[in-house]
Amino acid sequence: MSTAHESDGALGDLIDPELPAATYVLEPDVVEPLTRRIVTSHAAGTHRSTSPFTGAPLAAYPVSSPADVATAVERARAVQAGWARTPLRERTTVLDRLGALVLQRQSEILDLIQMESGKARRSAFEEVADVAIVCRHYAVRGPRYLADRRVPGMLPVLTGVRVHRRPVGVVGAIAPWNYPLSLVLSEAVPALLAGNAVVIKPDPQTTLSALWVAEVLQDAGLPDDLFLVVTGGGDIGAELVEHVDHIAFTGSTATGRKVAGRAGERLIGATLELGGKNPLYVAADADLDTAVPGVVRACFSNTGQLCMSIERLVLHERIADAFLERFVEAVRDLRLGSELDYTADVGSLVSAAQLERVTAHVDDALAKGARALVGGVHRSDVGPYFYAPTVLDDVPADARCATEETFGPVVSVTRVASDDEAVRVMNDTEFGLNASIWSADVARARALAARVESGTVVINDGYASAWASPAAPMGGFKASGLGRRHGREAVEALTEVQAVAAQRGARLGVSLDSLYTLGGEAPSRALTVALGALRRLRLP
Ligand code: NAD
């Protein structure tokens, strides 16, 4: 990836707002081949994205109009039926190639993800690995998820019933900025596998990454127009909901409610992957040597801007002090940086708005009596939107960060006297996306997991082993969402189910219809006898 300036990898020296021709971090020869893919009539203006690492202009690209959204969905609809008829083996081959290409070309997308989102490279690599895992999973398991099923018919032998999965048509996907590669593809891969077309509306800050996906999908052999990108903000997202046959939304709970409302009115399916206030419990018997580094990753990966990230630490009082002493030390050692390599542990927040939200949450908690054990400061010495990884103790219940999702590198501590109290504290939230339990006794942790109201519960890990197990459904209880991504569940959400029931005995005169030709009470009597026999034989 070439940038507009020579650099030793750090982007801190790239701002030159005095020179209009040189103000964009990304060169036009990188940006234009991507932005040519946007479905736009160039009637709705231009969006300028900002480099989170420096605050400098990153790139400019045209925004789609509402009419462009309609055009995109029409174009996708025109090719979808042909794709649905394409043999499944050809569709899985495209996904398999996509996974291979993303791995091969990872340096391109790692640079782009870092530049658009400000994250550390190791967090960006999680996206590359995720896409490779998801593509492989659906390429291998997809045919099984889509296979027709025979189910018992009304009259054994005489009624043959098969259940089929049909594509819904055009799937709309609305994605946030925090995982610009993963969250574009985690819906698109099962959607395409099932024979749908996809129109995606990425976040304005991370649109280039989505356009790169469109390029690589084409290189993987996906026919034209099956994956189209429209650009813009919430209005364009809302417009997409008006045209598609299913909406897969990932973002905040507030926006998710609006999307669900409109999807409900239109009677289209909606998959909603929303926010969280995820708890992590360290039980009295946890091995602190493994827990400390694992919990650091669980809280601060992707600068805490991860839907599954841990924002509430629940510590058994027997180990709380020992754990915190080592944990705070490890958090203090985290290295912040903007290099396009693997030297930094933690990257920047994505934007000024995100910095404002994190700062407001921490300042509010401190003003209400909380203590920062480490962090609690803006790190403008590293970059304009960097914030120090922060651990807060004594957070009062009325502090914003006690209940609202912060979506940043901030975690608060609660001490408990028992596992029962831990479960109560973990469930004391409107959200239910992810939870984590650390204990030497996995069976005991599983028993606790059964009592936790959360779509995923991860034992002796923060989030990765649930996220990276693509056969396992992922999503939220309560205000964290509806429906699931990954696994069989995603394919089921992105297909219509159709039952085809065939009468086999018609030509022999023993069909359901021939029964009704008997007239009078005879059909009822015959059916009563048959139903009694089926009950005695315990046939379903
Ligand atoms: P957001 O809701 O503000 O925006 C998400 C997307 O929705 C963007 O593309 C935005 O342009 C679009 N949008 C905004 N208003 C819209 C409307 N009225 N109709 C349709 N689309 C609209 O969310 P955000 O702040 O950008 O993202 C962070 C949030 O996403 C956090 O709450 C995080 O927890 C959540 N998230 C959830 C998951 C998950 O899998 N559960 C994954 C990642 C992020």
Side-chain angles (χ1 to χ4, degrees), residues 201-487:
K201 205 293 290 173
D203 188 273
Q205 176 62 27
T206 50
T207 291
L208 297 179
S209 298
L211 293 165
W212 185 87
V213 168
E215 180 182 293
V216 176
L217 268 167
Q218 189 178 39
D219 293 348
L222 188 73
D224 288 350
D225 286 359
L226 281 164
F227 180 92
L228 292 171
V229 181
V230 291
T231 58
D235 55 331
I236 294 304
E239 187 64 24
L240 187 59
V241 182
E242 298 300 320
H243 298 274
V244 292
D245 305 309
H246 178 100
I247 190 76
F249 173 82
T250 308
S252 63
T253 296
T255 311
R257 287 187 207 278
K258 292 185 203 163
V259 169
R262 192 57 199 131
E265 278 166 8
R266 288 201 58 229
L267 291 178
I268 58 167
T271 323
L272 305 167
E273 303 288 346
L274 310 177
K277 189 74 195 171
N278 307 309
L280 181 153
Y281 175 44
V282 186
D285 66 347
D287 170 25
L288 299 192
D289 288 342
T290 51
V292 169
V295 178
V296 169
R297 270 195 307 280
C299 300
F300 302 109
S301 283
N302 215 44
T303 325
Q305 301 167 122
L306 161 63
C307 58
M308 302 178 86
S309 194
I310 299 303
E311 297 199 356
R312 297 184 295 138
L313 274 188
V314 184
L315 305 178
H316 194 286
E317 60 189 13
R318 280 217 296 276
I319 50 83
D321 290 344
F323 174 85
L324 278 175
E325 192 180 323
R326 293 166 66 173
F327 180 66
V328 165
E329 209 43 51
V331 174
R332 194 171 282 122
D333 284 348
L334 287 171
R335 191 182 171 285
L336 274 63
S338 57
E339 295 84 355
L340 299 183
D341 60 27
Y342 286 95
T343 49
D345 299 311
V346 178
S348 174
L349 291 167
V350 71
S351 62
Q354 203 59 21
L355 174 68
E356 204 175 298
R357 172 162 155 173
V358 170
T359 307
H361 273 213
V362 174
D363 291 354
D364 168 69
L366 295 177
K368 287 174 177 159
R371 289 181 301 129
L373 301 181
V374 58
V377 288
H378 176 200
R379 290 291 307 272
S380 53
D381 55 315
V382 191
Y385 313 136
F386 278 83
Y387 198 89
T390 298
V391 182
L392 296 177
D393 205 351
D394 300 327
V395 174
D398 65 342
R400 287 181 65 190
C401 76
T403 51
E404 289 175 38
E405 183 183 44
T406 304
F407 219 52
V410 179
V411 64
S412 60
V413 175
T414 306
R415 290 166 182 76
V416 293
S418 66
D419 288 354
D420 286 345
E421 189 184 355
V423 170
R424 193 183 54 69
V425 170
M426 291 170 99
N427 288 341
D428 186 17
T429 167
E430 66 167 320
F431 297 108
L433 189 64
N434 182 40
S436 165
I437 298 172
W438 293 72
S439 166
D441 182 347
V442 172
R444 205 176 101 221
R446 280 188 193 280
L448 285 181
R451 297 163 59 195
V452 175
E453 297 158 357
S454 179
T456 47
V457 183
V458 190
I459 296 171
N460 293 330
D461 177 29
Y463 63 90
S465 47
W467 177 18
S469 300
M474 214 193 95
F477 283 21
K478 304 196 282 190
S480 288
L482 282 179
R484 295 292 183 269
R485 66 162 45 107
H486 288 173

Side-chain angles (χ1 to χ4, degrees), residues 187-200:
E187 306 291 354
V189 166
L192 291 169
L193 165 86
N196 297 292
V198 175
V199 177
I200 170 117

Side-chain angles (χ1 to χ4, degrees), residues 33-34 37 94-95 98-99 101-102 105 108-109 112-113 116 127 131 135 179-189 192 198 200 202 206-222 226-229:
L34 295 174
R37 295 178 177 274
V94 170
L95 301 183
L98 172 68
L101 282 174
V102 170
R105 292 170 58 177
E108 290 171 38
I109 188 62
L112 208 45
I113 292 172
E116 287 198 299
E127 302 201 49
V131 167
C135 286
Y179 278 81
L181 175 67
S182 274
L183 296 178
V184 163
L185 277 170
S186 52
E187 306 291 354
V189 166
L192 291 169
V198 175
I200 170 117
T206 50
T207 291
L208 297 179
S209 298
L211 293 165
W212 185 87
V213 168
E215 180 182 293
V216 176
L217 268 167
Q218 189 178 39
D219 293 348
L222 188 73
L226 281 164
F227 180 92
L228 292 171
V229 181

Side-chain angles (χ1 to χ4, degrees), residues 484-528:
R484 295 292 183 269
R485 66 162 45 107
H486 288 173
R488 179 183 291 281
E489 285 77 1
V491 171
E492 289 181 352
L494 297 166
T495 47
E496 287 282 11
V497 66
Q498 182 184 52
V500 177
Q503 290 290 73
R504 292 201 185 101
R507 279 196 306 172
L508 305 172
V510 287
S511 68
L512 193 59
D513 257 5
S514 57
L515 192 65
Y516 279 100
T517 58
L518 295 175
E521 269 185 50
S524 308
R525 260 195 264 116
L527 268 176
T528 302

Side-chain angles (χ1 to χ4, degrees), residues 28-46:
D29 69 339
V30 172
V31 175
E32 273 162 23
L34 295 174
T35 56
R36 268 204 297 272
R37 295 178 177 274
I38 299 171
V39 180
T40 178
S41 50
H42 297 267
T46 301

